[in-house]
Amino acid sequence: MEESSKRSEQRKEMEKERKKGEKKRRKEEEEEEEEILIFNHKSAEKEKEDEDLSDSEDSVFSGLEDSGSDSEDDDDDDEDLKVDQNLSQQEEEEEEEEEDVQSSLKKKDEEEEVKRDEYEHDSSDEEDIRNTVGNIPMEWYKDFPHIGYDLDGKKIYKPIRNKDELDDFLDKMENPDYWRTVQDKQTGSDVVLSDEQVELVKRLQRGQFGDVNFNEYQPQVEFFTQEVMLHPVTNRPADKRSFIPSLLEKDKVSKLVHAIKMGWIKPRRDSRDDSRGRYYDLWASEDTSNLARHRMHLPAPKIPLPGHHESYNPPPEYLFTDEERALWEQQDPVDRKFPFVPRSFSSLRLVPAFPRFIHERFERCLDLYLCPRQRKMRVNVNPEDLIPKLPKPKDLQPFPTTQSLVYRGHSGLVRSISVSPSGQWLASGSDDGSVRFWEICSSRCLKTVQVGGAVKSVAWNPNPSVCLLAVALDSAVLILSPALADRQVVLSSDRLLSAPQEAEPIEGDGLVNWSDTEGEELNQGIRLKIQHPKAVQQVAWHTKGDYLASVMPDHSSHLQVLIHQVSRRRSQNPFRKNKGLVQSVSFHPIRPYFFVATQRSVRIYNLVKQDLTKKLHANSKWISSMAVHPGGDHVICGSYDCKLSWFDLDLSTKPYRMLRHHRKAVRSVAYHRLYPLFASAADDGSIIVCHGTVYNDLLQNPLIVPVKVLRGHVITHELGVLDVTFHPTQPWIFSSGADATIRLFT
Amino acid sequence: MSQLQARFFTENKKYVVDDVPFSIPAASEVQDLSNVINKLLEAKNASHTTVEFDFLVRGLFLRTQLSSHMETEGISTEDVVEIEYVERLTAPEPEECMMHDDWISSVAADSEWILTGSYDKTARIWSVEGKAVMTVAGHSDVVKDVAWVKRDGLTSLLLTASLDQTLLLWEWNSERNKVKARHCCRGHTGSVDTVATDPTGSKFCSGSWDKMLKIWSAVPTDEADEVEEPGDRPRKKQKTQQLGLTRTPLMTLSGHNEAVSSVLWCDSEEVCSASWDHTIRMWDVETGEMKTTLTGSKVFNCISYSPLCRRLASGSTDRHIRLWDPRTKDGSLVLLSLTSHTGWVTAVKWAPSHEHQLVSGSLDNLVKLWDTRSCKAPLYDLAAHEDKVFCVDWTESGLMLSGGADNKLYTYRSSACQMDVGA
């Protein structure tokens, strides 16, 4: 019904337009309107008929027939039929409508051209019945007075065109319908287009359907859907071929099968195989851990299933006897076999509420919550694996292992020992005021020199061609010639001592006083006495055996170290400033360097350039002793805070390794001249021998392995081992202690 | 208890038993077996007095149960076991104690006389019975080693080596008890630690701390050899020190890198020396060339050679006595290690008349008597000394001697020694 109302509105508009149009053409227009409307829906037709008092209420086509019948000719019957066909086609095939509309438009034009009288001939769109020249370019008739021929063969004359340009212009200005006036080329007459025609043209220009009422988007009727219809769309019986196997296909298949069997055709490869090679499985290795996690999973503990005891009416054997009940009551709740007493009820109705329900649920929750749900992966780290791989001490032999000889004879603590370069003699200085010379292999004391004061330090001249011993006591340094060597050696050492007679007056500053000894002292072998201004703590020889350094520790003075040249009897103070309390000094075994150990650091001076080369920081509070590796590139320092620090001079000024094996103050450290050994002696009475291989390769750090703890010295007056030194050629170590003994470990 | 089939045999004719297999308990020990033999002997000879025996299974002394011994030695218990038995060596007892004034550094025994060197710079001559006969004084320093050279009737030649770098060749007349320094052997530049006379008594070899071995003539002459003396040597000193005629070495053998600690003659052409450089070297005296080197791992203190078993025994600073075969070319192969001492082995000496026995002295104050057939443990520990033992020796009569830092020279006598000598 909405549709109908719409159409009525349309129609009203049309009526307005019609009123605007010329009155003389009203009838024609009505006819045209009819015609146009005829093309449209029959409902519209009906309304129009209602309004226009048209005669028929029949079919869609009746109106046309009517109109046709208006100007009926006998000839036109078949043409009417054609129109019928056209219309029926329009209805059926909406897609092809445009052409038809155009043709109908053309038809209308023709209608207007011929006006009323020509109208009846206007039933064919194939051929213009008014002009029979056909579809030719009309300029061919340009020069003729006629424009063609009618059906009777008479000339159709061109309408008289007497309008000039001015008339045309005036017409253009004055005629309101000028814009809609077109010339019909077929007849040469002017045609004024009606409103409907103009509208139609506009619509066609816009690309719309010529018919206003035509709905382009009519709902489609789906015939072939997935829905099973009640009735078949077609009534045709199924083809025979749909149920008879095709012989052609059979033939084709057999050929293919044969070809596959013969190997002419390779079956298509499985696409999955293909993908396996082409794509990388990103997670292939990953899910093992995931699986492991699942494997380690522990399921929650299960609740034990109820047994007969839990029954509301258990057999009597499950019920407690009196003793059992008494036992149950006595027992701890933890020890009880059941957390309840089995009871019997005649019926389930009588069973009371379970009093322990909340408790039991709570315990179950605790079970679930406290039970470990995953197996703990404990990483078993073997503590042995964390220890760095060091060679076994067994593989680092030889090193001293056992105490072999004890040199007894001193009555005071033995402060210092020194082995002769030949390895035959051992000199020791003690607090009892004597220096003793021992034969190493038999522990025989062959010589005792009373020097009349506590001996602080003894040092054997490292030059094998002389046999001299420097002894530090009180404020003097004595040079002893023990005459324990070959005559030649004794003579050469005598020569060394007696040479500088002429140089004597030059000796410097009055700091020290060189003097020859006489009488008893000379008989004992004391050859020279170098009187120092202060107490001397240590003496150290240069490798060549001519220079001798002595240490006089003093906080306040820069005069702490003196270097003496024995052959020229000269002494000099190498330092102008006090850099700290000097503990120990040493000459570099090869190069002209001089090591000075103060309380906290070791300074290395270049004796040629006379400047400080390096300063080593021992991370210790108070250095007690120092030893220089025979290669000259390594230094060890013992300190009173129980530490031993190894410096690699090529590596750093910080200790390469700190060894804290001693329990008390380290008193002395020593390197072996040939074997890769070093040792430290401490107040705890122990000597720790370490293996210390030094590599020529600069990239390889020294290998330090503690190999042996040697004990033997008795701790007296809180003092243990005071000095330690290696045999020059054998892997033997000598130690002197506060118990007045010297011990040899081999 | 399981039984073993054993057959007993002995070299000693006195104690021969029947050569038939006996069934003896596998768990029996030395004492049980000894009782068995004594029973057998008693059954054979009513006048037999009980004798203690020692038993050898395949050349090794039985020290444990017979079964366990055979198990450790891998001897089948199925077969008949051959067991040798010898009269057990009774424990050597200290017989004499000869007191010295100072440490005894060395001892050399003759069949009659004992020569000792001492740290009091003298050498002493003792009779075997322990009577001091003579004091030989002349060195200016400790006497490190002594040796007998030759005996011609009543006069004997003897050698002393000293720390004063000289050796003295003395002529001692035992009848008049006069000693005279015949030659002063100069040439070493270190203390002379060891001296050995060649078997013929015409030469001797000395080893010194200066790493040299020197061969000297032992024949006394009346002429002094030319010695190049340094020009500036004080004349006076030379005169006072001069004792006997100066003698220079016939030959110097150099090759050791460290002090020579011990030297001996294997035969009249071969000298063997042990050194602190961990080697034992054999030298050809004729050419002066080194023949072979045996390399050890520790300092050698002493060596001894037995012509009976042709083995070299060495004592070193690592407490072991090692037996070497000096004839092996490549050396370095230790045949046997005898380990029981706890200090440096300072002296070792083969028995002159027994193939298997040797005696050793050590810094652990002990003298040990070894039998190479029982290498696990010594036969006897002789714990007479109170201080370090420096020297041991045998007399030709089988008497053991040892001296040390307690100034005492002990002689030990063992019953079996006499027996061996007598046999």
Side-chain angles (χ1 to χ4, degrees):
Chain A
M1 291 312 289
E2 281 180 8
E3 269 187 15
S4 61
S5 65
K6 264 185 193 173
R7 271 168 204 154
S8 64
E9 285 170 11
Q10 283 176 357
R11 207 206 51 207
K12 280 170 188 171
E13 285 173 5
M14 285 175 196
E15 277 180 350
K16 284 174 187 172
E17 286 171 359
R18 221 182 299 155
K19 283 166 189 171
K20 282 178 187 174
E22 291 172 348
K23 289 183 180 175
K24 58 172 180 178
R25 290 188 187 174
R26 182 170 293 174
K27 196 182 177 185
E28 299 163 15
E29 284 169 3
E30 278 176 4
E31 284 175 351
E32 282 172 9
E33 190 187 318
E34 273 180 12
E35 205 177 29
I36 292 163
L37 288 174
I38 282 164
F39 294 123
N40 296 330
H41 217 266
K42 50 188 176 183
S43 61
E45 184 79 0
K46 270 183 189 170
E47 286 171 24
K48 186 194 76 183
E49 279 170 358
D50 287 343
E51 207 171 76
D52 286 0
L53 302 173
S54 330
D55 40 4
S56 70
E57 288 187 45
D58 304 347
S59 69
V60 183
F61 314 108
S62 61
L64 194 68
E65 279 167 9
D66 284 346
S67 65
S69 64
D70 282 347
S71 56
E72 190 119 29
D73 264 1
D74 299 332
D75 324 3
D76 294 337
D77 280 344
D78 47 10
E79 287 183 13
D80 283 345
L81 265 178
K82 276 182 192 170
V83 173
D84 277 356
Q85 280 173 356
N86 282 345
L87 289 172
S88 67
Q89 274 173 5
Q90 275 182 347
E91 272 206 347
E92 280 182 8
E93 305 166 353
E94 291 169 358
E95 307 282 38
E96 301 171 9
E97 275 173 353
E98 269 189 44
E99 276 182 31
D100 295 327
V101 171
Q102 274 175 346
S103 66
S104 66
L105 182 66
K106 197 176 166 188
K107 195 168 64 190
K108 275 173 234 161
D109 289 347
E110 287 164 23
E111 277 174 343
E112 280 179 26
E113 261 177 66
V114 288
K115 305 269 171 79
R116 202 165 297 121
D117 34 349
E118 302 292 333
Y119 190 71
E120 57 258 42
H121 306 291
D122 186 19
S123 61
S124 164
D125 41 13
E126 297 294 316
E127 204 176 338
D128 195 343
I129 53 170
R130 294 161 307 179
N131 194 347
T132 57
V133 290
N135 192 12
I136 54 156
M138 293 310 288
E139 54 263 29
W140 289 352
Y141 286 89
K142 189 169 64 181
D143 300 332
F144 295 100
H146 62 278
I147 203 167
Y149 307 93
D150 62 6
L151 281 171
D152 300 329
K154 288 174 186 166
K155 286 182 181 172
I156 300 171
Y157 288 99
K158 290 177 184 170
I160 296 141
R161 291 250 170 210
N162 50 4
K163 280 183 186 173
D164 55 1
E165 288 295 314
L166 190 63
D167 290 335
D168 200 30
F169 177 72
L170 288 172
D171 194 24
K172 189 178 179 180
M173 288 294 112
E174 290 167 359
N175 188 4
D177 290 330
Y178 179 80
W179 62 275
R180 61 166 87 183
T181 310
V182 293
Q183 192 184 24
D184 188 353
K185 283 177 182 159
Q186 212 75 29
T187 58
S189 59
D190 287 341
V191 180
V192 176
L193 296 181
S194 65
D195 282 347
E196 284 76 24
Q197 284 172 325
V198 169
E199 188 65 22
L200 182 70
V201 168
K202 281 182 181 168
R203 289 175 62 85
L204 291 173
Q205 281 175 339
R206 286 202 299 268
Q208 291 177 331
F209 258 166
D211 186 1
V212 181
N213 294 321
F214 180 70
N215 184 7
E216 299 165 68
Y217 307 108
Q218 278 185 348
Q220 189 182 355
V221 180
E222 303 259 356
F223 286 103
F224 300 98
T225 61
Q226 84 267 19
E227 285 167 23
V228 178
M229 297 206 284
L230 188 60
H231 302 289
V233 179
T234 63
N235 204 15
R236 197 171 59 191
D239 285 328
K240 189 182 176 184
R241 64 172 181 269
S242 69
F243 52 86
I244 290 181
S246 164
L247 286 175
L248 189 74
E249 282 177 2
K250 186 187 169 192
D251 192 35
K252 275 186 179 173
V253 167
S254 67
K255 273 182 182 168
L256 284 172
V257 167
H258 180 67
I260 289 170
K261 277 183 182 170
M262 300 303 286
W264 300 329
I265 296 178
K266 288 266 157 52
R268 204 187 304 158
R269 260 194 310 165
D270 195 354
S271 60
R272 280 174 298 176
D273 289 350
D274 191 46
S275 69
R276 196 175 299 156
R278 223 175 334 145
Y279 303 112
Y280 169 68
D281 186 2
L282 184 63
W283 294 279
S285 59
E286 199 180 44
D287 51 344
T288 53
S289 61
N290 223 7
L291 283 176
R293 192 163 59 81
H294 286 302
R295 216 180 300 126
M296 299 316 287
H297 174 76
L298 279 181
K302 282 185 177 150
I303 305 177
L305 291 171
H308 290 296
H309 290 95
E310 276 93 341
S311 170
Y312 77 98
N313 192 9
E317 62 263 31
Y318 290 101
L319 293 172
F320 277 175
T321 59
D322 287 344
E323 298 96 63
E324 279 175 332
R325 192 183 182 88
L327 180 71
W328 188 88
E329 275 163 1
Q330 272 179 7
Q331 270 176 331
D332 251 6
V334 185
D335 298 334
R336 283 170 183 167
K337 197 176 174 189
F338 303 108
F340 58 90
V341 180
R343 292 170 68 191
S344 180
F345 299 96
S346 58
S347 79
L348 202 54
R349 258 184 306 119
L350 302 177
V351 177
F354 184 43
R356 291 186 69 256
F357 180 73
I358 297 290
H359 189 73
E360 200 186 68
R361 286 293 92 193
F362 176 69
E363 280 186 341
R364 172 66 181 163
C365 287
L366 283 187
D367 276 356
L368 294 177
Y369 158 60
L370 294 172
C371 160
R373 300 297 291 281
Q374 203 166 2
R375 261 183 219 113
K376 285 280 188 308
M377 289 297 289
R378 190 175 295 140
V379 183
N380 286 323
V381 179
N382 192 357
E384 308 265 314
D385 298 343
L386 299 175
I387 299 170
K389 285 275 172 286
L390 285 177
K392 282 180 186 162
K394 215 175 115 189
D395 305 331
L396 299 173
Q397 276 177 337
F399 53 84
T401 52
T402 48
Q403 177 181 310
S404 293
L405 282 169
V406 183
Y407 303 81
R408 295 177 201 277
H410 279 296
S411 55
L413 47 91
V414 186
R415 293 243 181 226
S416 177
I417 50 175
S418 179
V419 186
S420 75
S422 66
Q424 195 178 9
W425 309 108
L426 175 71
S428 63
S430 164
D431 269 8
D432 61 4
S434 66
V435 174
R436 280 174 186 258
F437 296 91
W438 311 81
E439 187 186 35
I440 285 169
C441 62
S442 62
S443 75
R444 168 84 182 187
C445 176
L446 282 170
K447 201 172 225 178
T448 307
V449 178
Q450 295 294 337
V451 291
V455 179
K456 292 288 192 297
S457 172
V458 293
W460 210 292
N461 191 318
N463 188 349
S465 65
V466 293
C467 178
L468 292 174
L469 185 79
V471 178
L473 78 153
D474 296 341
S475 62
V477 172
L478 304 178
I479 307 290
L480 267 71
S481 177
L484 284 169
D486 183 33
R487 278 197 319 264
Q488 301 287 344
V489 174
V490 174
L491 284 176
S492 69
S493 39
D494 284 351
R495 259 201 306 278
L496 178 72
L497 293 180
S498 57
Q501 296 300 336
E502 71 279 0
E504 206 168 356
I506 315 168
E507 131 259 320
D509 308 354
L511 284 176
V512 295
N513 181 25
W514 294 71
S515 59
D516 287 314
T517 52
E518 292 164 344
E520 181 59 29
E521 285 185 332
L522 187 64
N523 288 347
Q524 282 191 326
I526 304 171
R527 307 297 302 272
L528 264 181
K529 193 170 188 179
I530 310 168
Q531 194 66 43
H532 285 64
K534 282 174 281 192
V536 182
Q537 275 295 333
Q538 193 216 346
V539 283
W541 285 96
H542 185 252
T543 328
K544 296 264 175 61
D546 194 15
Y547 289 93
L548 175 71
S550 57
V551 181
M552 301 165 283
D554 186 354
H555 268 299
S556 55
S557 165
H558 69 277
L559 179 65
Q560 296 194 77
V561 179
L562 280 172
I563 296 181
H564 314 279
Q565 189 179 10
V566 176
S567 60
R568 300 178 67 187
R569 296 200 182 185
R570 286 204 317 186
S571 302
Q572 57 180 350
N573 177 16
F575 303 118
R576 251 175 266 122
K577 278 183 190 165
N578 175 15
K579 291 276 177 62
L581 193 64
V582 176
Q583 298 295 310
S584 170
V585 296
S586 177
F587 286 96
H588 192 284
I590 306 157
R591 286 193 281 276
Y593 290 127
F594 189 58
F595 296 80
V596 179
T598 54
Q599 276 186 30
R600 295 289 184 89
S601 59
V602 177
R603 289 182 168 80
I604 305 169
Y605 295 94
N606 189 330
L607 293 174
V608 174
K609 290 185 189 164
Q610 302 201 333
D611 59 359
L612 180 71
T613 307
K614 213 170 257 185
K615 187 182 174 190
L616 309 176
H617 302 274
N619 293 332
S620 49
K621 296 208 176 72
W622 195 315
I623 292 173
S624 63
S625 53
M626 169 183 64
V628 183
H629 191 268
D633 288 335
H634 302 267
V635 176
I636 46 173
C637 284
S639 66
Y640 289 117
D641 52 356
C642 319
K643 289 185 216 163
L644 175 84
S645 33
W646 174 298
F647 295 94
D648 188 335
L649 300 187
D650 295 329
L651 200 68
S652 161
T653 57
K654 294 267 171 359
Y656 160 65
R657 184 70 57 85
M658 300 284 285
L659 303 176
R660 296 178 189 81
H661 299 305
H662 283 293
R663 261 186 241 110
K664 284 189 177 173
V666 176
R667 287 279 171 182
S668 174
V669 290
Y671 272 111
H672 198 285
R673 202 165 61 93
L674 303 174
Y675 288 93
L677 293 172
F678 65 95
S680 57
D683 275 347
D684 56 2
S686 69
I687 302 150
I688 292 179
V689 181
C690 300
H691 178 94
T693 309
V694 171
Y695 300 97
N696 287 329
D697 182 9
L698 281 176
L699 293 175
Q700 211 162 357
N701 286 328
L703 172 75
I704 298 172
V705 186
V707 288
K708 187 74 187 173
V709 181
L710 300 169
R711 292 177 202 282
H713 284 285
V714 182
I715 298 172
T716 38
H717 308 302
E718 298 283 303
L719 294 174
V721 189
L722 294 175
D723 197 8
V724 69
T725 184
F726 278 100
H727 192 275
T729 53
Q730 303 294 338
W732 299 348
I733 191 166
F734 299 91
S735 64
S736 68
D739 56 352
T741 63
I742 303 158
R743 286 162 202 263
L744 166 64
F745 299 89
T746 60
Chain B
M1 183 176 274
S2 63
Q3 299 279 315
L4 278 171
Q5 294 291 310
R7 177 181 290 140
F8 295 98
F9 68 100
T10 181
E11 300 288 313
N12 198 333
K13 299 284 185 295
K14 227 168 96 184
Y15 304 121
V16 173
V17 295
D18 297 333
D19 188 14
V20 287
F22 295 96
S23 184
I24 51 168
S28 52
E29 295 187 27
V30 178
Q31 195 56 48
D32 306 327
L33 293 175
S34 187
N35 291 341
V36 167
I37 299 293
N38 275 316
K39 288 268 171 60
L40 288 169
L41 290 171
E42 269 175 33
K44 223 171 109 180
N45 182 0
S47 64
H48 174 77
T49 52
T50 306
V51 178
E52 294 295 316
F53 291 101
D54 252 338
F55 297 86
L56 291 142
V57 182
R58 295 217 187 149
L60 286 173
F61 270 113
L62 185 64
R63 284 287 177 262
T64 55
Q65 287 190 352
L66 185 57
S67 57
S68 60
H69 178 87
M70 289 170 74
E71 195 178 326
T72 52
E73 296 298 326
I75 302 167
S76 165
T77 53
E78 302 294 317
D79 307 328
V80 177
V81 191
E82 302 279 342
I83 300 178
E84 186 182 358
Y85 57 96
V86 292
E87 196 178 343
R88 185 183 293 177
L89 196 66
T90 55
E93 287 299 324
E95 210 173 49
E96 301 290 338
C97 175
M98 298 163 217
M99 279 302 296
H100 288 66
D101 294 340
D102 210 335
W103 295 7
I104 300 162
S105 65
S106 55
V107 61
D110 201 335
S111 52
E112 274 179 81
W113 311 105
I114 300 165
L115 179 63
T116 59
S118 169
Y119 274 81
D120 61 359
K121 306 176 187 177
T122 63
R124 283 162 202 261
I125 302 170
W126 306 79
S127 69
V128 174
E129 292 78 30
K131 201 163 81 101
V133 177
M134 186 72 209
T135 301
V136 183
H139 279 293
S140 60
D141 214 328
V142 172
V143 175
K144 296 288 285 195
D145 202 4
V146 291
W148 292 100
V149 181
K150 201 188 263 183
R151 273 184 65 187
D152 280 336
L154 293 174
T155 57
S156 314
L157 285 174
L158 52 101
L159 277 166
T160 55
S162 166
L163 199 72
D164 63 5
Q165 309 176 6
T166 61
L167 297 110
L168 285 174
L169 181 64
W170 305 86
E171 191 179 65
W172 173 58
N173 190 313
S174 55
E175 192 190 30
R176 286 185 289 152
N177 206 8
K178 278 280 175 67
V179 69
K180 186 187 175 208
R182 294 297 301 269
H183 286 284
C184 179
C185 305
R186 298 174 181 279
H188 281 296
T189 57
S191 72
V192 186
D193 289 338
T194 174
V195 65
T197 319
D198 87 325
T200 62
S202 60
K203 282 187 277 191
F204 64 91
C205 178
S206 65
S208 161
W209 189 268
D210 63 3
K211 310 168 189 176
M212 301 293 176
L213 291 164
K214 286 181 193 288
I215 312 282
W216 316 74
S217 168
V219 181
T221 54
D222 291 336
E223 288 175 10
D225 293 342
E226 288 291 318
V227 178
E228 286 179 21
E229 290 291 341
D232 58 345
R233 184 179 161 75
R235 283 281 152 206
K236 187 180 141 201
K237 207 170 185 180
Q238 192 182 10
K239 263 181 192 165
T240 53
Q241 279 195 344
Q242 192 64 33
L243 197 67
L245 300 165
T246 304
R247 172 157 285 185
T248 51
L250 298 174
M251 189 181 283
T252 300
L253 309 175
S254 71
H256 279 296
N257 303 321
E258 291 276 332
V260 178
S261 58
S262 181
V263 68
L264 58 85
W265 294 77
C266 295
D267 54 48
S268 55
E269 271 94 49
E270 198 179 43
V271 165
C272 180
S273 66
S275 163
W276 278 37
D277 64 0
H278 308 179
T279 59
I280 297 170
R281 292 171 198 245
M282 307 285 166
W283 309 81
D284 192 324
V285 177
E286 297 297 316
T287 60
E289 281 171 3
M290 189 172 65
K291 282 156 79 182
T292 51
T293 304
L294 307 173
T295 309
S297 62
K298 289 287 186 314
V299 166
F300 287 113
N301 282 322
C302 52
I303 47 171
S304 175
Y305 179 72
S306 165
L308 295 173
C309 66
R310 300 207 177 93
R311 292 282 181 276
L312 206 57
S314 72
S316 58
T317 57
D318 61 349
R319 315 189 298 273
H320 303 298
I321 299 160
R322 292 190 174 85
L323 303 188
W324 310 75
D325 187 348
R327 290 166 298 175
T328 53
K329 288 289 170 217
D330 49 348
S332 321
L333 191 70
V334 179
L335 299 172
L336 202 60
S337 281
L338 306 175
T339 307
S340 172
H341 280 297
T342 56
W344 290 8
V345 180
T346 49
V348 61
K349 202 69 116 183
W350 284 99
S353 55
H354 199 288
E355 196 183 338
H356 299 294
Q357 284 178 2
L358 73 151
V359 70
S360 66
S362 161
L363 292 186
D364 60 3
N365 307 355
L366 287 177
V367 176
K368 293 191 187 226
L369 176 62
W370 296 85
D371 192 304
T372 51
R373 296 170 293 184
S374 159
C375 55
K376 298 274 192 300
L379 289 182
Y380 290 107
D381 285 358
L382 313 176
H385 284 286
E386 292 145 13
D387 208 340
K388 299 175 278 288
V389 178
F390 288 130
C391 52
V392 293
D393 202 3
W394 298 78
T395 63
E396 282 171 27
S397 56
L399 207 60
M400 284 175 275
L401 307 163
S402 69
D406 57 354
N407 304 353
K408 289 171 187 163
L409 182 78
Y410 281 101
T411 63
Y412 311 88
R413 189 177 297 276
S414 170
S415 59
C417 292
Q418 267 184 326
M419 204 60 85
D420 282 351
V421 169

